[in-house]
Amino acid sequence: MSENAAPTPSPMSQKQEDFLLLLERRVWGSREAPQRLAEFRQSCGGSPTTAQASAEIKKLQGLEASRPKPAGRRRTDAPEGCYGVYKDGSIVLVKLSKPTEGKWAGYNFLTTVPIIPEQEPEPVRGEEARLILEEIQAEPSASATEFGRITRHCPFCRRKLSVAYLQAGVGIHSECRAKVEL
């Protein structure tokens, strides 16, 4: 081997390919990810090198970081309390819990608030939870007021609301109003 010969570039590893597919799914979605990976392979002449794969990984990580995060289980500024959200033409009453300690600290949990006392609260998860959190995040005071109007109880301290509060359309006790912007 002569001294001037350049080393042969290493082909993309299986680990890199798997990670690229994962990133493609996160950035473009499950349907487009395989096609995007195939396009990347084709743009590299069919067999990408380790360096090309690393550059593509950095590019995808940058795209992922720049995308706005959806309001998910961990992403809402709304305070702990109860909310009323319209979904499919009917109202859904939910309780938002935000643990501050333990392994679930920083997560948001939604459970239904049954109108009929005999019903058990049920967890709200997945896409439904994300959509409800988006609604709450968009208008926390309106969602909290809706809960108070329907249940006749403050969504934060759960004390019974007076007729004067309900007639005024407030739905939140005066001491609790600072929790959400009105």
Side-chain angles (χ1 to χ4, degrees), residues 40-54:
F40 166 68
R41 282 180 159 288
Q42 193 175 35
S43 72
C44 297
S47 55
T49 64
T50 305
Q52 290 170 321
S54 292

Side-chain angles (χ1 to χ4, degrees), residues 55-152:
E56 185 71 6
I57 286 170
K58 284 183 182 179
K59 181 180 104 180
L60 288 171
Q61 286 175 327
L63 282 172
E64 182 182 29
S66 69
R67 292 183 137 202
K69 303 290 186 233
R73 291 173 69 108
R74 287 196 248 182
R75 299 174 187 99
T76 184
D77 300 328
E80 253 186 337
C82 296
Y83 298 89
V85 177
Y86 284 96
K87 183 177 171 250
D88 300 328
S90 63
I91 189 93
V92 177
L93 302 177
V94 293
K95 178 180 178 185
L96 172 62
S97 303
K98 297 175 135 187
T100 56
E101 296 177 0
K103 76 176 192 177
W104 299 111
Y107 283 82
N108 295 329
F109 294 94
L110 289 175
T111 54
T112 59
V113 177
I115 295 175
I116 302 168
E118 293 81 33
Q119 289 180 329
E120 290 291 319
E122 295 179 9
V124 182
R125 296 184 178 119
E127 183 68 9
E128 183 180 14
R130 187 185 67 76
L131 292 172
I132 289 173
L133 282 171
E134 282 179 358
E135 284 288 322
I136 292 170
Q137 180 72 22
E139 296 185 63
S141 62
S143 298
T145 299
E146 196 62 24
F147 178 88
R149 188 184 67 75
I150 289 170
T151 64
R152 302 181 189 279

Side-chain angles (χ1 to χ4, degrees), residues 22-40:
L22 174 72
L23 287 172
E24 295 283 7
R25 283 187 180 129
R26 286 188 199 160
V27 173
W28 306 111
S30 294
R31 289 185 181 181
E32 286 190 48
Q35 177 63 33
R36 295 265 182 178
L37 186 58
E39 288 171 5
F40 166 68

